[in-house]
Amino acid sequence: LDAFRQEAAAWLFKLEALYGLELINQPERLAQQPRLSMLSWELAEVEALLQCPYFRPPEMSVWRFARRWCLEGGGACAFRDEPEAVPVTKESIDMAISKGLIWELLPPKEELVARSGGESDAQSQRSDGVADAASGGAEEVAVELPEKETTTSISGSSFLRLQRRNDCALKAFDDTAALHCRCRESAMVCWNSALEEQVVGGSRQVLASSCPMRRGEGTYRMDLRVNSSADAAFLLEVGLMVSPDDGVAFKVDAPGACRPLRRGELPGKSEPFFRIVSLMDVLVEGVRLVVELDLKEDQVMLSNLEPGQTRAGEAVSIASWLAERNRAQIMSARNPGELECHLFKEHAEHLQELVNEGKLDGELADCFLADPGAKWVLAAEITPEVPEAYHFYISLPAGMEV
C-alpha cells in the first residue's frame, strides 16, 4: 500500500512537472467528483504527498497547495476558533508541512508571508495563522543548516547545444532535429528523440552552460533531474568543459565527449572535458540531483535533494585536472619548442639540480624558477594571469529526457 501511495504521489507531481497540470488546480479539474479532490485528504495523505521526492514540480507550487489545503481543505478545521474537538491541530499541520517542503528551494519566510497576504484568497482573511503554518518551519530548518558562502545557481535556460565538429568520427549520425528543448522560467526540459539503429551513442547531443565559472570565485550549483531514461542511459554524462565554442566530438573507442587536443593539453591529464564518473552511483530517475562545484576547495559534490533529508554526498576532487588545465593554458601560448625540445628539458632539469644543491641562487635562480617553460618541464604549479573559464555540460543520449 505504501508503494502504491508513493507511485500515486509521484504521478500527481508528474502531472505538473511534465504536463503542466498544476497541483493547486486539481480540485477544479475534478469538480464533478469532489470526493476525489485533494482538499478532502487527511493530514497523513497530504504529508505522504509532500514527502515524495519523485518528479517534484517547482517547490513554490507545492507550498501553494499546502497553504490551500490549510485554508480550504482538511486542515481548515484546525484554524477555526470553535470549541469542538478537531481531528488535527495547528502544531501537527505545521510539523508535517515543515518536514515535507524543501526549504532551500523556497524564498525566505518573510517573502512567503508577504505572498500569502497578497493573494486574492477569500478565506485567507479568516486566520492570520494559516500563512505561518505553511511557512513556520522555515526558520527551524534553516537553523539546522550550516552557514555557507553564497552559491551561484546555473539556470537551465543558460544551456546551449554544442556544434558537432567536422572531424568527429560519428558526425554522420548527428540528428540535430531530434533535440527538443523548452524553457519554463529558469529551467529547461531537454529530450533527445533520436532512434539509433546503427551506432549506439552516435546521436548523443551535448549542451553546455553559457555561464563561465572561474577558479577561486566560489561555489556554483546546477540542479537536474532525469524524467525518462532509455537503453543508452549509461551514456549520460555530466561534467566540466572549456571553450564551448570549439564544439564537441565523439570517438568509437572513447567513453564520452572529447575533441582533438590543442598545444599544451595532455591525454588523461588536461583534456578539455572532465567527466564526473561517479554520477551513475548517485543518480535516481525522477529525483532532483544537485551538482555543486566548489572552485575554492577544487571539488565537486553530488547529492540527491529529498524533503526532510539532510543533503550529503561524496566530494570528488578536481584539483589535479584544474592544475593541469592551468599548465595547458600557459603552454598553449608558449614556443612549441619548449614542449618538444629534449635539450631544453634536460637543461631545465640540470638547473633545478643546481638550485637544490645551492649552487644556483639569488636573482638568477628566482628568474629560472619563475619561468613558465621551466615550470612545465618540472611539473610545477603554474597560475595564469587570467583564470580559465569552465562550463557545466550535459551529454544527452538518445531517448532520454532531463
Side-chain angles (χ1 to χ4, degrees):
L1 183 59
D2 290 339
F4 171 78
R5 286 178 174 173
Q6 190 174 54
E7 179 140 346
W11 265 104
L12 286 169
F13 281 159
K14 188 183 289 188
L15 287 175
E16 175 170 349
L18 303 187
Y19 303 104
L21 299 175
E22 293 187 352
L23 192 67
I24 195 173
N25 294 328
Q26 189 264 6
E28 282 71 25
R29 294 196 295 270
L30 296 177
Q32 303 294 331
Q33 299 289 340
R35 183 173 59 87
L36 301 179
S37 169
M38 293 166 60
L39 294 181
S40 63
W41 281 9
E42 296 180 357
L43 177 59
E45 296 169 317
V46 173
E47 186 175 10
L49 175 69
L50 298 183
Q51 292 184 355
C52 176
Y54 299 99
F55 301 102
R56 292 179 76 91
E59 206 65 18
M60 273 302 300
S61 179
V62 181
W63 176 84
R64 281 194 292 264
F65 163 72
R67 181 174 179 273
R68 184 177 182 186
W69 182 83
C70 290
L71 290 169
E72 306 174 30
C77 58
F79 297 94
R80 297 194 188 101
D81 296 327
E82 299 177 0
E84 69 268 14
V86 293
V88 292
T89 63
K90 293 181 181 180
E91 290 74 17
S92 60
I93 291 176
D94 183 66
M95 181 64 68
I97 293 177
S98 297
K99 290 183 177 180
L101 293 175
I102 302 178
W103 292 102
E104 65 179 272
L105 301 179
L106 291 169
K109 177 183 175 182
E110 295 75 15
E111 185 175 339
L112 286 176
V113 174
R115 293 191 185 189
S116 302
E119 293 177 359
S120 57
D121 217 305
Q123 299 187 25
S124 64
Q125 305 300 324
R126 189 176 57 195
S127 171
D128 294 335
V130 173
D132 290 334
S135 61
E139 288 186 347
E140 300 174 10
V141 176
V143 171
E144 300 175 2
L145 296 175
E147 291 187 4
K148 298 179 66 176
E149 295 181 0
T150 302
T151 299
T152 303
S153 294
I154 304 298
S155 66
S157 58
S158 69
F159 279 77
L160 302 173
R161 177 184 175 275
L162 295 189
Q163 294 291 329
R164 190 76 67 94
R165 292 174 59 94
N166 292 328
D167 53 14
C168 174
L170 302 178
K171 184 175 175 58
F173 303 98
D174 182 25
D175 186 1
T176 58
L179 180 63
H180 309 276
C181 300
R182 66 181 188 273
C183 290
R184 180 180 179 181
E185 297 178 355
S186 62
M188 177 185 287
V189 179
C190 303
W191 173 41
N192 186 352
S193 64
L195 299 176
E196 296 180 328
E197 299 178 350
Q198 298 183 52
V199 179
V200 176
S203 299
R204 281 171 286 182
Q205 298 290 336
V206 179
L207 299 101
S209 172
S210 58
C211 298
M213 306 175 292
R214 302 183 188 277
R215 198 173 188 183
E217 290 186 351
T219 302
Y220 297 85
R221 167 174 169 165
M222 174 186 69
D223 292 20
L224 66 93
R225 178 181 65 211
V226 174
N227 291 335
S228 63
S229 57
D231 294 338
F234 64 94
L235 293 174
L236 173 68
E237 282 183 63
V238 175
L240 305 174
M241 69 169 299
V242 299
S243 305
D245 292 340
D246 289 347
V248 63
F250 295 100
K251 295 180 180 179
V252 178
D253 58 345
C258 63
R259 61 174 176 244
L261 300 180
R262 296 182 299 183
R263 190 172 68 197
E265 295 177 340
L266 299 176
K269 291 185 177 181
S270 54
E271 295 179 348
F273 290 86
F274 179 86
R275 181 183 185 184
I276 303 176
V277 180
S278 59
L279 173 72
M280 289 302 177
D281 297 333
V282 182
L283 187 68
V284 178
E285 183 175 340
V287 177
R288 188 169 182 152
L289 177 70
V290 177
V291 182
E292 282 189 320
L293 171 64
D294 189 339
L295 286 175
K296 287 188 175 180
E297 297 296 331
D298 295 344
Q299 63 183 18
V300 175
M301 180 79 72
L302 301 177
S303 56
N304 288 317
L305 199 56
E306 301 183 27
Q309 302 291 329
T310 301
R311 272 201 299 122
E314 183 176 352
V316 178
S317 175
I318 59 172
S320 60
W321 181 74
L322 293 176
E324 291 295 336
R325 285 303 313 169
N326 282 346
R327 290 163 52 79
Q329 183 183 359
I330 290 290
M331 298 312 295
S332 64
R334 301 283 294 184
N335 190 317
E338 295 182 357
L339 305 180
E340 303 167 0
C341 179
H342 295 287
L343 182 61
F344 176 80
K345 294 180 180 179
E346 292 177 1
H347 186 60
E349 292 170 353
H350 175 64
L351 291 178
Q352 180 64 56
E353 292 178 359
L354 295 180
V355 171
N356 295 339
E357 295 172 0
K359 297 179 180 179
L360 180 65
D361 55 12
E363 184 178 349
L364 185 59
D366 294 339
C367 182
F368 163 70
L369 294 174
D371 182 75
K375 288 184 176 182
W376 166 267
V377 173
L378 303 172
E381 183 177 351
I382 305 176
T383 303
E385 294 182 3
V386 179
E388 190 172 33
Y390 310 106
H391 302 260
F392 280 122
Y393 83 91
I394 300 175
S395 180
L396 190 64
M400 178 173 283
E401 178 181 288
V402 297

